[in-house]
Amino acid sequence: MSRIAYVNGQYVRHADAAVHVEDRGYQFADGVYEVCEVWQGNIVDAPRHLDRLGRSLSELRIDWPMTRSAVDFVLHQVVRRNRVRNGLVYIQVTRGVSKRDHFFPPEEVAPSIVVTARSTNPAAAAAQAAQGIAVVSYPENRWPRVDIKTVALLPNVLAKQNAKEHGGKEAWYVDADGFVTEGGSTNAWIVTKDGAVVTRPADSGILRGITRAVVLDIIQKEGLTFEERPFSLEEAFDAKEAFVTAATSVVMPVTRVDGKMIGNGHPGSVATRLRELFHTATDLQAV
């Protein structure tokens, strides 16, 4: 079956989907995006993702390309038309198509929207989680507004490629003070030897992850000790466990950082339990 994409008001074959050469997302990375997990025929936490999309648009002074309810409808339609039961749905909104000029385009220029969906392999993800992943640190070099989910991801691409070339699956950014900020496409966590779950505050320096928010809900419900504070690489090396969170990986245990074994080198019980409980705490919308 051919994949289907939504592009500016039309459902088209994925192979034929295209945007204009002067779309500002292409020329300036002048746009934002969201990725939602699709799990067992449900879009996971769509309201929270749309809330964050709205915030990102507002911060960049880009209008919604259509009403929020219409965007929600398109998300469901694209997942349905692609027959995705387990996978991801991606939405991107840019400032629109206009002649190349750093100034905002005229008010009559409408934002552009693209939505795609694809299937993933839950069994492969589960196998990866059972083994854990390796992380490679990378100097923080992004602009300060990483709280906005923009499509300007070149620093993330370079960090993750460096991780791949050094045997890692993910990168961890480290700021000038030696503290981990977040992953190239994930939020970063550790579990101390005392059993405290630690992650950096989302008020600055990181994206306020939707998966992160759900995990915080589970931590509270389970009565786990939680510390919202920065942690250093050295503290991570000495941690009992480490893991990352994102819509693309849910809760993924980390077993090595910069080649150093974390804990006993196997996925820890806290990360494993959080992964098991994750979908019981999410807002599921049937497709």
Side-chain angles (χ1 to χ4, degrees), residues 34 36 80 101 129 154 157 272:
E34 284 290 331
C36 301
R80 186 178 299 119
D101 191 328
L154 181 57
V157 168
T272 300

Side-chain angles (χ1 to χ4, degrees), residues 77-125:
Q77 278 292 310
V78 171
V79 172
R80 186 178 299 119
R81 291 179 185 225
N82 285 279
R83 300 180 185 177
V84 174
R85 180 162 176 79
N86 294 287
L88 301 168
V89 57
Y90 175 89
I91 176 173
Q92 177 174 302
V93 180
T94 74
R95 204 176 302 274
V97 176
S98 185
K99 69 176 183 179
R100 192 180 187 281
D101 191 328
H102 285 72
F103 298 112
F104 287 1
E107 290 186 4
E108 62 267 20
V109 173
S112 298
I113 177 172
V114 171
V115 182
T116 59
R118 64 179 175 88
S119 296
T120 57
N121 186 341

Side-chain angles (χ1 to χ4, degrees), residues 93-216:
V93 180
T94 74
R95 204 176 302 274
V97 176
S98 185
K99 69 176 183 179
R100 192 180 187 281
D101 191 328
H102 285 72
F103 298 112
F104 287 1
E107 290 186 4
E108 62 267 20
V109 173
S112 298
I113 177 172
V114 171
V115 182
T116 59
R118 64 179 175 88
S119 296
T120 57
N121 186 341
Q128 181 76 84
Q131 179 181 354
I133 65 170
V135 162
V136 178
S137 65
Y138 197 81
E140 181 63 84
N141 62 350
R142 300 170 298 166
W143 77 318
R145 294 304 310 276
V146 293
D147 57 296
I148 305 172
K149 200 169 178 67
T150 76
V151 297
L153 295 174
L154 181 57
N156 307 62
V157 168
L158 295 175
K160 288 180 74 76
Q161 180 63 27
N162 178 74
K164 180 179 180 180
E165 291 170 356
H166 290 84
K169 184 74 173 178
E170 174 61 305
W172 270 5
Y173 281 109
V174 180
D175 67 21
D177 296 319
F179 292 108
V180 175
T181 54
E182 62 182 343
S185 58
T186 60
N187 287 129
W189 308 68
I190 61 170
V191 180
T192 69
K193 288 183 176 178
D194 294 331
V197 185
V198 182
T199 194
R200 190 182 182 102
D203 54 358
S204 64
I206 70 169
L207 181 72
R208 191 177 291 274
I210 304 303
T211 304
R212 175 186 185 277
V214 175
V215 169
L216 290 177

